[in-house]
Structures are given as C-alpha cells and as structure tokens.
Amino acid sequence: MLTTKVLLNKVRQKQDGTFPLVIRITYSRKSIYLPLGYNLAEKDFDAKNQRIRPSSKIASNITRLNNGIQEKLKKIYDTVTRLEEEGKIESLPMSSVKKEIEGKSVGNMDFFNFTDSLIKDLKKAGKYGNAEIYRTLRNKIEKFHGKNSLPFRQINYAFLKKLETQHYASGNTAGGLSVYLRTLRSVYKKAIKHGLAKENHNPFNDYSIKNGTPKRQFLNREQLETLKDAPVEESHLAKARDLYMASFYLRGMNWMDMALLKGDNIQGDLERIMYIRSKTRNKMFSIKITPALKQILLAYNDGKIKEDDFVFPILTRDISQDQIHETIKNKRKRQNIYLKRLADRLELPKFTIYSARHTYANILKRSGAPSNVIQDSLGHTTEAMTQAYLSSFETNVIDDYDAKIMS
C-alpha cells in the first residue's frame, strides 16, 4: 500500500529554472511530498533511476548525497511499518504521517494543533464544508478556553459542562450546542485513534449530548408569492430574489450546488437538470425544469446555456480552483444580506438562501404529498428510515407534486 518516488516537483519551478527535489509518499491513494532541501535542473537528475547524476555540481560528494536519500527512503518505510503495527496509520492524516517521518511526532499535539491538521487535510481533500465546521468549532473552543493551548486531558466532563453553561448564558440554543459538541466528540475520537487522547478519559462516555430542535426558516405559499411577484428595481436585489426562487424550483438546491451547476448538467432542450448533491454525493437528482425556472435560466445566460459555462451568476469561467470555495462562501453571505433587505422591504419573516429548502418541503407537505415523497425529493439518504423510501418512488411521481406547487 506504500509507494515512494524521488522526483523533481515540476509545479514549483524556481526563478532560475530549477525544481525542488522531493520524495513523493503515497499510502492508500493519498500522497504527500517530503522536500529534500535541494533544487535541481532537469539535466542534473536521473528520473529513471531516481538519483542525482554524478555530473551534477549541486554538492561536492554526489554519492554521499544519493546514499542519504536512500537512508531517508528506508526511514519512511520503517516509520510507516511502525505506524501500521501500532494500528495508527489508517486513521492518521497524511500531514501527521509526514510529521512522524520528519521526527515531529504528533504525540505532543494539543486540541488546537490537531484540529488545525484535520482542517488542512479536509481542505486538501476538497471537503471545504466539513473543514468550515471544524474551524467554527475551533474558534468556539478558543474563545471559551481563553488560551492558545489545550491538552486533550483538559477536555473532561467539567470542561463540557462549563462550555454548556456559557453557551446558554449567551442566549444560544440547544441546537447550536448540539452541533458544537458532536463536532468536538468527532475530533476527540480521532485524537484517540491517533494516540493523543485515551478512551478511558473520553468525557463523552459520561456526558450526554442533548438533541436540540433547530429553528427552521421558511416562507409559506402566500409569502413566497409576495416575494416572487413584488416589483424590485435594484438589479442586485432582483438577482438575489431570482436565485432564491431558482433554489426553490430546484427542490431547495443548496448554494454550493447552484454555484457549481454547469450547462452539461442540463438534459435535452432545457428539459431536466441532473446533478449529484455535493453534501451527500450518493444520489443522482433528476429535476424537471418548469417554465418559471426556465425563464430564470435563460435570463441569466443571454438566452443560451453553454455546456462548460456555470448556469447561475455566482462563479465565472476564469475562476481558479483555489478560489472557488472562498468565492462561493462570500457570495452566499452577500446573497443573504440582500435577502434580509428584501424581507424588511416586503415585510416578510427573516429568511436565507438555505431556507428555500425548508420552504419547498413545507409547501410540498401542505400540498398533500406523503412524507416519503418529500424525503425522496429532498434526498435524505443518510437516515435508515429514509433509505427505505428511496426506491419506492420514481422521478415522475415527484414531478407531479412539483407541478402542483410550482404552477
């Protein structure tokens, strides 16, 4: 399962035309790069044999340098073998494996260091949503603790009770506390697997997380009609309204999926939209494009949607991969600010772009749709009870209910 390769890192070319010499370490299809401290020109490196050429002037003794690289390779295999024998390798983030190889053991990492490493690995894996959840928890604990160091042994039952008391004293809800504590429990379990904490010290063995009932924001049918039909002159507010309505027409499609939706997700002549929800990634959605949705799609694509273009005016074609997540997050904040202005102007209850999902579910329920149709249409595939319903309804059944509420 472990492979190594000595190579030049071609994506990090230096100004003088040389490349960093690195060891690529791959384990279970995850890779990290270990820099060797040298920059080489391509002519100085034997890529086939993974060695520095004897003709290179990078050092006075090339043989000793190549032998040193072989010693590092041996250390890598020895370290990974040890981690396998200790049963840690499967749960360790690759960044922690790198630290072990470099002799910077994760054994002394506290809560903040360890959470930072988890956030870094989640971002590297493209799981920006989960990374944001961990980051929010980290900020919450840092503010509560008031210090920049927190050993796992200090996270005990008394620590959790104090956190709970402060949370409620600040006027926050049980639902919010539940989210924080479940995330903290997840971090603690990972810390146990990494040998940073002990199971017999796990405070969640004694502390029970209370399930809070989240406050669902939604608009009823009359309020939705008010939003849809109200004259809005400002282009930015009109666009915010249109994006909310588009989310509703797409069964409450979340902001991330709307932002990433492209022309190749559209089937036929604007007949259906096919996509896999980024949050769960385990179910293909097929949604019929209603006339109202079609009008919005054409309005923001100059009457024609190209396959490789983003469907909604959230991202642009020239955006880099590194900028996508931050741009989506910033645009969502701006969208919610505009929706708040619309709510104030139209005397509607406060709502956000995410509430389009609850609005859809609420109106669908009031239209007489069975709960299992609602569960299928929203894609609640993570709960066992929901799973039982998923195979029992075909797409056209949901289309019929969509037609009732979107006419």
Side-chain angles (χ1 to χ4, degrees):
M1 296 177 69
L2 171 70
T3 60
T4 61
K5 186 173 184 178
V6 183
L7 48 80
L8 298 179
N9 190 346
K10 297 291 185 67
V11 299
R12 298 195 179 279
Q13 186 175 16
K14 303 297 179 180
Q15 289 186 348
D16 61 0
T18 61
F19 302 93
L21 183 65
V22 299
I23 299 176
R24 185 179 65 201
I25 307 164
T26 304
Y27 190 91
S28 294
R29 299 182 181 179
K30 298 178 181 178
S31 298
I32 52 174
Y33 292 86
L34 187 69
L36 294 173
Y38 293 94
N39 298 319
L40 299 177
E42 287 189 81
K43 64 181 180 62
D44 290 329
F45 184 67
D46 182 353
K48 181 178 179 181
N49 296 303
Q50 302 179 45
R51 297 176 66 85
I52 301 173
R53 296 185 187 277
S55 58
S56 173
K57 305 299 182 182
I58 194 68
S60 58
N61 193 327
I62 299 301
T63 300
R64 181 183 299 172
L65 190 54
N66 281 323
N67 289 341
I69 294 173
Q70 293 304 309
E71 286 296 319
K72 287 185 181 294
L73 290 171
K74 182 178 182 300
K75 182 180 179 181
I76 290 170
Y77 278 91
D78 289 344
T79 302
V80 171
T81 299
R82 174 177 60 80
L83 293 173
E84 285 179 329
E85 291 173 348
E86 294 174 353
K88 295 180 180 179
I89 188 69
E90 292 295 340
S91 59
L92 273 178
M94 287 302 285
S95 59
S96 296
V97 173
K98 182 179 179 180
K99 288 180 179 179
E100 290 280 352
I101 292 169
E102 293 174 331
K104 304 173 184 177
S105 175
V106 299
N108 295 322
M109 293 179 72
D110 71 348
F111 168 80
F112 297 122
N113 299 140
F114 182 61
T115 305
D116 286 341
S117 72
L118 295 177
I119 293 170
K120 183 178 180 181
D121 285 339
L122 285 169
K123 287 183 176 180
K124 189 176 293 185
K127 298 180 180 180
Y128 295 103
N130 288 339
E132 186 68 18
I133 291 172
Y134 278 70
R135 186 192 64 80
T136 302
L137 168 71
R138 188 199 189 285
N139 292 344
K140 171 84 170 179
I141 298 299
E142 185 176 36
K143 183 177 179 181
F144 165 73
H145 186 55
K147 300 176 183 178
N148 55 16
S149 177
L150 177 59
F152 278 96
R153 66 177 179 274
Q154 291 185 16
I155 304 177
N156 52 27
Y157 182 84
F159 181 93
L160 298 182
K161 291 301 291 184
K162 288 179 181 178
L163 177 63
E164 175 187 307
T165 300
Q166 188 192 78
H167 181 84
Y168 288 135
S170 301
N172 297 310
T173 65
L177 180 64
S178 174
V179 173
Y180 286 126
L181 291 177
R182 290 181 190 282
T183 308
L184 178 57
R185 183 175 61 185
S186 173
V187 173
Y188 202 98
K189 284 183 177 180
K190 287 180 171 63
I192 292 173
K193 290 181 179 180
H194 296 174
L196 302 176
K198 296 181 179 180
E199 177 58 41
N200 60 341
H201 292 164
N202 188 347
F204 293 99
N205 291 336
D206 301 313
Y207 182 92
S208 178
I209 300 176
K210 300 177 181 65
N211 289 320
T213 302
K215 185 178 180 181
R216 306 284 188 191
Q217 295 177 331
F218 64 87
L219 302 178
N220 60 33
R221 182 188 289 274
E222 181 181 350
Q223 292 165 340
L224 187 69
E225 290 293 330
T226 297
L227 175 66
K228 184 181 71 171
D229 297 333
V232 180
E233 295 182 1
E234 299 96 324
S235 59
H236 60 286
L237 295 183
K239 183 169 76 172
R241 186 260 306 277
D242 291 343
L243 291 175
Y244 185 89
M245 293 306 304
S247 175
F248 171 78
Y249 294 140
L250 289 163
R251 301 182 193 155
M253 180 185 286
N254 69 36
W255 184 254
M256 175 73 74
D257 292 329
M258 286 181 66
L260 297 176
L261 204 68
K262 286 193 170 184
D264 56 10
N265 291 108
I266 296 177
Q267 307 296 306
D269 184 18
L270 289 176
E271 295 169 4
R272 306 193 73 85
I273 286 181
M274 306 277 290
Y275 81 103
I276 296 176
R277 194 176 182 216
S278 58
K279 187 174 181 180
T280 54
R281 301 186 182 184
N282 57 2
K283 182 179 187 296
M284 173 67 76
F285 283 82
S286 176
I287 303 176
K288 185 176 181 179
I289 297 177
T290 61
L293 176 58
K294 183 176 182 178
Q295 184 177 352
I296 293 174
L297 293 175
L298 292 176
Y300 287 97
N301 288 276
D302 296 326
K304 185 177 181 181
I305 302 175
K306 299 178 182 177
E307 284 193 2
D308 58 345
D309 278 351
F310 291 108
V311 171
F312 293 108
I314 302 172
L315 299 175
T316 56
R317 291 184 65 180
D318 59 348
I319 192 168
S320 70
Q321 193 67 31
D322 294 337
Q323 296 173 316
I324 285 180
H325 176 71
E326 195 67 24
T327 301
I328 291 175
K329 184 174 70 172
N330 291 336
K331 291 288 186 71
R332 182 177 61 235
K333 289 180 180 178
R334 193 176 305 166
Q335 167 77 6
N336 287 333
I337 290 173
Y338 294 156
L339 291 180
K340 183 178 183 301
R341 292 180 187 174
L342 285 170
D344 292 341
R345 178 180 300 183
L346 302 176
E347 298 183 348
L348 297 173
K350 181 182 176 182
F351 65 100
T352 64
I353 184 63
Y354 185 71
S355 73
R357 183 171 174 81
H358 302 316
T359 297
Y360 167 77
N362 179 65
I363 297 179
L364 188 59
K365 179 180 180 180
R366 292 180 180 276
S367 74
S371 60
N372 42 13
V373 172
I374 299 172
Q375 290 167 334
D376 196 16
S377 65
L378 293 177
H380 288 165
T381 59
T382 57
E383 300 178 17
M385 190 167 69
T386 303
Q387 293 274 16
Y389 293 109
L390 291 179
S391 61
S392 60
F393 288 91
E394 296 180 356
T395 299
N396 61 350
V397 176
I398 301 171
D399 287 344
D400 291 339
Y401 283 107
D402 281 351
K404 285 184 181 180
I405 70 170
M406 295 182 185
S407 59

